[in-house]
């Protein structure tokens, strides 16, 4: 007979897979893309010292800074355009 744990396990795996996809695509890809362009413009091409597609070669602290900058900029543009005060 199926136990409750046996029923929950596939749901947990699916939830973890969706969490990974969300993190990979939203934070890492979108955040990095926007943040990379912002930091390159502000620092005249000096930071980050890796290329646009070289996220895996970037230091951990730098990738977090760039990704969070990109997501904050995206949130700011959305708030600005939607009239949030």
């Amino acid at each position: 007979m199926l136990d409750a744990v046996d029923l929950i396990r596939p749901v947990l795996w699916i939830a973890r897979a969706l969490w990974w996809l969300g993190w990979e695509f939203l934070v890492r890809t979108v955040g990095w893309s926007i943040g990379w362009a912002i930091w390159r413009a502000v620092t005249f091409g000096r930071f980050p010292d890796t290329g646009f597609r070289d996220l895996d070669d970037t230091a951990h602290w730098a990738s977090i800074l760039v990704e969070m900058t990109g997501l904050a900029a995206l949130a700011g543009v959305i708030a600005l355009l939607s009239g949030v005060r």
Side-chain angles (χ1 to χ4, degrees), residues 6-77:
D6 294 332
L7 294 175
I8 292 173
R9 188 161 304 181
V11 173
L12 180 61
W13 284 35
I14 292 169
R16 285 182 179 169
L18 291 174
W19 177 263
W20 176 81
L21 282 174
W23 179 261
E24 191 67 29
F25 287 116
L26 177 65
V27 176
R28 302 231 356 151
T29 304
V30 174
W32 173 263
S33 301
I34 297 169
W36 187 90
I38 290 170
W39 278 106
R40 278 294 176 123
V42 169
T43 63
F44 301 108
R46 296 183 183 263
F47 179 81
D49 57 353
T50 56
F52 185 72
R53 297 279 181 204
D54 297 332
L55 174 59
D56 293 332
D57 298 333
T58 307
H60 188 67
W61 68 269
S63 67
I64 290 174
L65 178 64
V66 171
E67 291 162 1
M68 292 303 123
T69 301
L71 292 178
L74 181 61
V77 167

